[in-house]
PDB file of all heavy atoms in Angstrom:
ATOM      1  N   ALA C 911      22.841 -10.383   0.239  1.00  0.00           N
ATOM      2  CA  ALA C 911      23.661  -9.352  -0.407  1.00  0.00           C
ATOM      3  C   ALA C 911      23.307  -9.223  -1.888  1.00  0.00           C
ATOM      4  O   ALA C 911      23.187  -8.105  -2.406  1.00  0.00           O
ATOM      5  CB  ALA C 911      25.142  -9.676  -0.236  1.00  0.00           C
ATOM      6  N   LEU C 912      23.115 -10.344  -2.560  1.00  0.00           N
ATOM      7  CA  LEU C 912      22.767 -10.309  -3.984  1.00  0.00           C
ATOM      8  C   LEU C 912      21.392  -9.679  -4.201  1.00  0.00           C
ATOM      9  O   LEU C 912      21.206  -8.895  -5.139  1.00  0.00           O
ATOM     10  CB  LEU C 912      22.793 -11.720  -4.572  1.00  0.00           C
ATOM     11  CG  LEU C 912      24.177 -12.326  -4.789  1.00  0.00           C
ATOM     12  CD1 LEU C 912      24.071 -13.779  -5.213  1.00  0.00           C
ATOM     13  CD2 LEU C 912      24.945 -11.531  -5.836  1.00  0.00           C
ATOM     14  N   SER C 913      20.441  -9.992  -3.349  1.00  0.00           N
ATOM     15  CA  SER C 913      19.097  -9.429  -3.510  1.00  0.00           C
ATOM     16  C   SER C 913      19.086  -7.916  -3.256  1.00  0.00           C
ATOM     17  O   SER C 913      18.248  -7.212  -3.799  1.00  0.00           O
ATOM     18  CB  SER C 913      18.106 -10.121  -2.574  1.00  0.00           C
ATOM     19  OG  SER C 913      18.357  -9.775  -1.227  1.00  0.00           O
ATOM     20  N   MET C 914      20.026  -7.447  -2.450  1.00  0.00           N
ATOM     21  CA  MET C 914      20.112  -6.018  -2.144  1.00  0.00           C
ATOM     22  C   MET C 914      21.074  -5.278  -3.066  1.00  0.00           C
ATOM     23  O   MET C 914      21.193  -4.067  -2.989  1.00  0.00           O
ATOM     24  CB  MET C 914      20.584  -5.819  -0.694  1.00  0.00           C
ATOM     25  CG  MET C 914      19.628  -6.298   0.352  1.00  0.00           C
ATOM     26  SD  MET C 914      20.332  -6.253   2.019  1.00  0.00           S
ATOM     27  CE  MET C 914      21.291  -4.769   2.028  1.00  0.00           C
ATOM     28  N   MET C 915      21.800  -6.020  -3.891  1.00  0.00           N
ATOM     29  CA  MET C 915      22.840  -5.437  -4.759  1.00  0.00           C
ATOM     30  C   MET C 915      23.933  -4.778  -3.920  1.00  0.00           C
ATOM     31  O   MET C 915      24.383  -3.673  -4.207  1.00  0.00           O
ATOM     32  CB  MET C 915      22.246  -4.434  -5.756  1.00  0.00           C
ATOM     33  CG  MET C 915      21.177  -5.015  -6.672  1.00  0.00           C
ATOM     34  SD  MET C 915      21.810  -6.258  -7.790  1.00  0.00           S
ATOM     35  CE  MET C 915      22.741  -5.265  -8.913  1.00  0.00           C
ATOM     36  N   GLU C 916      24.336  -5.460  -2.862  1.00  0.00           N
ATOM     37  CA  GLU C 916      25.410  -4.994  -1.981  1.00  0.00           C
ATOM     38  C   GLU C 916      26.445  -6.105  -1.857  1.00  0.00           C
ATOM     39  O   GLU C 916      26.222  -7.233  -2.304  1.00  0.00           O
ATOM     40  CB  GLU C 916      24.865  -4.637  -0.586  1.00  0.00           C
ATOM     41  CG  GLU C 916      23.910  -3.461  -0.557  1.00  0.00           C
ATOM     42  CD  GLU C 916      24.592  -2.124  -0.814  1.00  0.00           C
ATOM     43  OE1 GLU C 916      25.824  -2.027  -0.692  1.00  0.00           O
ATOM     44  OE2 GLU C 916      23.868  -1.169  -1.136  1.00  0.00           O
ATOM     45  N   LYS C 917      27.570  -5.803  -1.216  1.00  0.00           N
ATOM     46  CA  LYS C 917      28.622  -6.801  -1.035  1.00  0.00           C
ATOM     47  C   LYS C 917      28.323  -7.676   0.170  1.00  0.00           C
ATOM     48  O   LYS C 917      27.768  -7.224   1.171  1.00  0.00           O
ATOM     49  CB  LYS C 917      29.978  -6.115  -0.850  1.00  0.00           C
ATOM     50  CG  LYS C 917      30.442  -5.396  -2.086  1.00  0.00           C
ATOM     51  CD  LYS C 917      31.819  -4.827  -1.920  1.00  0.00           C
ATOM     52  CE  LYS C 917      32.259  -4.153  -3.212  1.00  0.00           C
ATOM     53  NZ  LYS C 917      33.605  -3.626  -3.117  1.00  0.00           N
ATOM     54  N   GLU C 918      28.732  -8.934   0.069  1.00  0.00           N
ATOM     55  CA  GLU C 918      28.516  -9.892   1.158  1.00  0.00           C
ATOM     56  C   GLU C 918      29.252  -9.468   2.424  1.00  0.00           C
ATOM     57  O   GLU C 918      28.747  -9.638   3.535  1.00  0.00           O
ATOM     58  CB  GLU C 918      28.985 -11.285   0.712  1.00  0.00           C
ATOM     59  CG  GLU C 918      28.760 -12.367   1.728  1.00  0.00           C
ATOM     60  CD  GLU C 918      29.260 -13.726   1.269  1.00  0.00           C
ATOM     61  OE1 GLU C 918      29.812 -13.831   0.157  1.00  0.00           O
ATOM     62  OE2 GLU C 918      29.113 -14.681   2.060  1.00  0.00           O
ATOM     63  N   LEU C 919      30.432  -8.891   2.279  1.00  0.00           N
ATOM     64  CA  LEU C 919      31.216  -8.444   3.429  1.00  0.00           C
ATOM     65  C   LEU C 919      30.465  -7.385   4.236  1.00  0.00           C
ATOM     66  O   LEU C 919      30.539  -7.365   5.463  1.00  0.00           O
ATOM     67  CB  LEU C 919      32.567  -7.892   2.971  1.00  0.00           C
ATOM     68  CG  LEU C 919      33.534  -7.457   4.053  1.00  0.00           C
ATOM     69  CD1 LEU C 919      33.901  -8.654   4.940  1.00  0.00           C
ATOM     70  CD2 LEU C 919      34.789  -6.864   3.453  1.00  0.00           C
ATOM     71  N   LEU C 920      29.719  -6.531   3.550  1.00  0.00           N
ATOM     72  CA  LEU C 920      28.924  -5.514   4.223  1.00  0.00           C
ATOM     73  C   LEU C 920      27.885  -6.170   5.131  1.00  0.00           C
ATOM     74  O   LEU C 920      27.726  -5.786   6.285  1.00  0.00           O
ATOM     75  CB  LEU C 920      28.239  -4.609   3.193  1.00  0.00           C
ATOM     76  CG  LEU C 920      27.310  -3.539   3.753  1.00  0.00           C
ATOM     77  CD1 LEU C 920      28.108  -2.478   4.486  1.00  0.00           C
ATOM     78  CD2 LEU C 920      26.480  -2.923   2.657  1.00  0.00           C
ATOM     79  N   ILE C 921      27.208  -7.183   4.624  1.00  0.00           N
ATOM     80  CA  ILE C 921      26.193  -7.896   5.407  1.00  0.00           C
ATOM     81  C   ILE C 921      26.840  -8.580   6.608  1.00  0.00           C
ATOM     82  O   ILE C 921      26.316  -8.525   7.726  1.00  0.00           O
ATOM     83  CB  ILE C 921      25.451  -8.938   4.538  1.00  0.00           C
ATOM     84  CG1 ILE C 921      24.797  -8.270   3.327  1.00  0.00           C
ATOM     85  CG2 ILE C 921      24.431  -9.712   5.360  1.00  0.00           C
ATOM     86  CD1 ILE C 921      23.795  -7.201   3.658  1.00  0.00           C
ATOM     87  N   LYS C 922      27.984  -9.202   6.396  1.00  0.00           N
ATOM     88  CA  LYS C 922      28.683  -9.887   7.491  1.00  0.00           C
ATOM     89  C   LYS C 922      29.028  -8.907   8.608  1.00  0.00           C
ATOM     90  O   LYS C 922      28.825  -9.196   9.787  1.00  0.00           O
ATOM     91  CB  LYS C 922      29.960 -10.567   6.981  1.00  0.00           C
ATOM     92  CG  LYS C 922      29.694 -11.798   6.160  1.00  0.00           C
ATOM     93  CD  LYS C 922      30.988 -12.448   5.710  1.00  0.00           C
ATOM     94  CE  LYS C 922      30.684 -13.681   4.886  1.00  0.00           C
ATOM     95  NZ  LYS C 922      31.894 -14.392   4.481  1.00  0.00           N
ATOM     96  N   LYS C 923      29.563  -7.743   8.246  1.00  0.00           N
ATOM     97  CA  LYS C 923      29.962  -6.759   9.262  1.00  0.00           C
ATOM     98  C   LYS C 923      28.758  -6.181   9.992  1.00  0.00           C
ATOM     99  O   LYS C 923      28.816  -5.946  11.189  1.00  0.00           O
ATOM    100  CB  LYS C 923      30.795  -5.646   8.630  1.00  0.00           C
ATOM    101  CG  LYS C 923      32.185  -6.090   8.268  1.00  0.00           C
ATOM    102  CD  LYS C 923      33.052  -4.936   7.866  1.00  0.00           C
ATOM    103  CE  LYS C 923      34.472  -5.428   7.655  1.00  0.00           C
ATOM    104  NZ  LYS C 923      35.430  -4.346   7.672  1.00  0.00           N
ATOM    105  N   ILE C 924      27.677  -5.959   9.281  1.00  0.00           N
ATOM    106  CA  ILE C 924      26.465  -5.444   9.918  1.00  0.00           C
ATOM    107  C   ILE C 924      25.916  -6.470  10.889  1.00  0.00           C
ATOM    108  O   ILE C 924      25.529  -6.141  12.007  1.00  0.00           O
ATOM    109  CB  ILE C 924      25.415  -5.040   8.859  1.00  0.00           C
ATOM    110  CG1 ILE C 924      25.893  -3.805   8.094  1.00  0.00           C
ATOM    111  CG2 ILE C 924      24.063  -4.790   9.506  1.00  0.00           C
ATOM    112  CD1 ILE C 924      25.039  -3.427   6.903  1.00  0.00           C
ATOM    113  N   GLU C 925      25.890  -7.747  10.495  1.00  0.00           N
ATOM    114  CA  GLU C 925      25.373  -8.803  11.363  1.00  0.00           C
ATOM    115  C   GLU C 925      26.246  -9.042  12.589  1.00  0.00           C
ATOM    116  O   GLU C 925      25.766  -9.498  13.613  1.00  0.00           O
ATOM    117  CB  GLU C 925      25.193 -10.111  10.590  1.00  0.00           C
ATOM    118  CG  GLU C 925      23.951 -10.127   9.737  1.00  0.00           C
ATOM    119  CD  GLU C 925      23.629 -11.500   9.192  1.00  0.00           C
ATOM    120  OE1 GLU C 925      24.266 -12.497   9.607  1.00  0.00           O
ATOM    121  OE2 GLU C 925      22.720 -11.587   8.359  1.00  0.00           O
ATOM    122  N   LYS C 926      27.533  -8.753  12.485  1.00  0.00           N
ATOM    123  CA  LYS C 926      28.429  -8.885  13.642  1.00  0.00           C
ATOM    124  C   LYS C 926      28.320  -7.673  14.566  1.00  0.00           C
ATOM    125  O   LYS C 926      28.838  -7.688  15.674  1.00  0.00           O
ATOM    126  CB  LYS C 926      29.882  -9.012  13.183  1.00  0.00           C
ATOM    127  CG  LYS C 926      30.241 -10.350  12.626  1.00  0.00           C
ATOM    128  CD  LYS C 926      31.724 -10.355  12.272  1.00  0.00           C
ATOM    129  CE  LYS C 926      32.161 -11.651  11.662  1.00  0.00           C
ATOM    130  NZ  LYS C 926      33.588 -11.620  11.289  1.00  0.00           N
ATOM    131  N   GLY C 927      27.692  -6.612  14.098  1.00  0.00           N
ATOM    132  CA  GLY C 927      27.579  -5.390  14.887  1.00  0.00           C
ATOM    133  C   GLY C 927      28.805  -4.516  14.762  1.00  0.00           C
ATOM    134  O   GLY C 927      28.976  -3.566  15.527  1.00  0.00           O
ATOM    135  N   GLU C 928      29.678  -4.796  13.810  1.00  0.00           N
ATOM    136  CA  GLU C 928      30.890  -4.013  13.602  1.00  0.00           C
ATOM    137  C   GLU C 928      30.613  -2.755  12.793  1.00  0.00           C
ATOM    138  O   GLU C 928      31.430  -1.843  12.772  1.00  0.00           O
ATOM    139  CB  GLU C 928      31.943  -4.845  12.865  1.00  0.00           C
ATOM    140  CG  GLU C 928      32.461  -6.016  13.653  1.00  0.00           C
ATOM    141  CD  GLU C 928      33.427  -6.882  12.858  1.00  0.00           C
ATOM    142  OE1 GLU C 928      33.672  -6.590  11.668  1.00  0.00           O
ATOM    143  OE2 GLU C 928      33.931  -7.865  13.423  1.00  0.00           O
ATOM    144  N   LEU C 929      29.486  -2.739  12.100  1.00  0.00           N
ATOM    145  CA  LEU C 929      29.179  -1.636  11.203  1.00  0.00           C
ATOM    146  C   LEU C 929      27.713  -1.266  11.363  1.00  0.00           C
ATOM    147  O   LEU C 929      26.850  -2.144  11.390  1.00  0.00           O
ATOM    148  CB  LEU C 929      29.468  -2.072   9.757  1.00  0.00           C
ATOM    149  CG  LEU C 929      29.364  -1.040   8.669  1.00  0.00           C
ATOM    150  CD1 LEU C 929      30.494  -0.023   8.823  1.00  0.00           C
ATOM    151  CD2 LEU C 929      29.457  -1.686   7.310  1.00  0.00           C
ATOM    152  N   ILE C 930      27.447   0.008  11.475  1.00  0.00           N
ATOM    153  CA  ILE C 930      26.071   0.484  11.535  1.00  0.00           C
ATOM    154  C   ILE C 930      25.651   0.811  10.109  1.00  0.00           C
ATOM    155  O   ILE C 930      26.335   1.573   9.422  1.00  0.00           O
ATOM    156  CB  ILE C 930      25.961   1.734  12.436  1.00  0.00           C
ATOM    157  CG1 ILE C 930      26.291   1.357  13.874  1.00  0.00           C
ATOM    158  CG2 ILE C 930      24.566   2.328  12.351  1.00  0.00           C
ATOM    159  CD1 ILE C 930      26.308   2.520  14.817  1.00  0.00           C
ATOM    160  N   PRO C 931      24.548   0.224   9.644  1.00  0.00           N
ATOM    161  CA  PRO C 931      24.160   0.448   8.244  1.00  0.00           C
ATOM    162  C   PRO C 931      23.743   1.888   7.988  1.00  0.00           C
ATOM    163  O   PRO C 931      23.101   2.524   8.825  1.00  0.00           O
ATOM    164  CB  PRO C 931      22.969  -0.504   8.041  1.00  0.00           C
ATOM    165  CG  PRO C 931      22.445  -0.763   9.405  1.00  0.00           C
ATOM    166  CD  PRO C 931      23.610  -0.651  10.337  1.00  0.00           C
ATOM    167  N   GLU C 932      24.145   2.387   6.830  1.00  0.00           N
ATOM    168  CA  GLU C 932      23.726   3.725   6.427  1.00  0.00           C
ATOM    169  C   GLU C 932      22.250   3.685   6.060  1.00  0.00           C
ATOM    170  O   GLU C 932      21.658   2.613   5.916  1.00  0.00           O
ATOM    171  CB  GLU C 932      24.573   4.206   5.246  1.00  0.00           C
ATOM    172  CG  GLU C 932      26.015   4.457   5.625  1.00  0.00           C
ATOM    173  CD  GLU C 932      26.839   4.980   4.465  1.00  0.00           C
ATOM    174  OE1 GLU C 932      26.264   5.245   3.386  1.00  0.00           O
ATOM    175  OE2 GLU C 932      28.049   5.110   4.637  1.00  0.00           O
ATOM    176  N   GLU C 933      21.669   4.845   5.884  1.00  0.00           N
ATOM    177  CA  GLU C 933      20.228   4.965   5.650  1.00  0.00           C
ATOM    178  C   GLU C 933      19.751   4.138   4.456  1.00  0.00           C
ATOM    179  O   GLU C 933      18.778   3.396   4.561  1.00  0.00           O
ATOM    180  CB  GLU C 933      19.870   6.441   5.454  1.00  0.00           C
ATOM    181  CG  GLU C 933      18.396   6.742   5.464  1.00  0.00           C
ATOM    182  CD  GLU C 933      17.776   6.639   6.842  1.00  0.00           C
ATOM    183  OE1 GLU C 933      18.502   6.658   7.842  1.00  0.00           O
ATOM    184  OE2 GLU C 933      16.542   6.527   6.915  1.00  0.00           O
ATOM    185  N   ASP C 934      20.449   4.242   3.318  1.00  0.00           N
ATOM    186  CA  ASP C 934      20.000   3.517   2.126  1.00  0.00           C
ATOM    187  C   ASP C 934      20.138   2.006   2.297  1.00  0.00           C
ATOM    188  O   ASP C 934      19.268   1.240   1.872  1.00  0.00           O
ATOM    189  CB  ASP C 934      20.746   4.004   0.879  1.00  0.00           C
ATOM    190  CG  ASP C 934      22.245   3.826   0.965  1.00  0.00           C
ATOM    191  OD1 ASP C 934      22.783   3.883   2.092  1.00  0.00           O
ATOM    192  OD2 ASP C 934      22.896   3.625  -0.083  1.00  0.00           O
ATOM    193  N   VAL C 935      21.207   1.558   2.947  1.00  0.00           N
ATOM    194  CA  VAL C 935      21.407   0.123   3.190  1.00  0.00           C
ATOM    195  C   VAL C 935      20.365  -0.381   4.185  1.00  0.00           C
ATOM    196  O   VAL C 935      19.805  -1.462   4.011  1.00  0.00           O
ATOM    197  CB  VAL C 935      22.843  -0.157   3.700  1.00  0.00           C
ATOM    198  CG1 VAL C 935      23.016  -1.619   4.066  1.00  0.00           C
ATOM    199  CG2 VAL C 935      23.865   0.264   2.663  1.00  0.00           C
TER     200      VAL C 935
END
C-alpha cells in the first residue's frame, strides 16, 4: 500500500475479493 500510495484497507479488500480494483489501482 505504501509503495502504491494507497490505503492498506484497499489492498486487504482487493486481496479478499471483496473489491474489484479500479483501472488506476
Side-chain angles (χ1 to χ4, degrees):
L912 286 173
S913 70
M914 294 172 38
M915 302 294 288
E916 295 289 342
K917 293 185 178 182
E918 182 181 1
L919 183 62
L920 177 69
I921 302 301
K922 287 181 180 183
K923 287 190 174 198
I924 291 172
E925 282 191 9
K926 284 183 182 178
E928 294 176 358
L929 187 69
I930 295 176
E932 292 182 5
E933 191 72 18
D934 60 330
V935 175

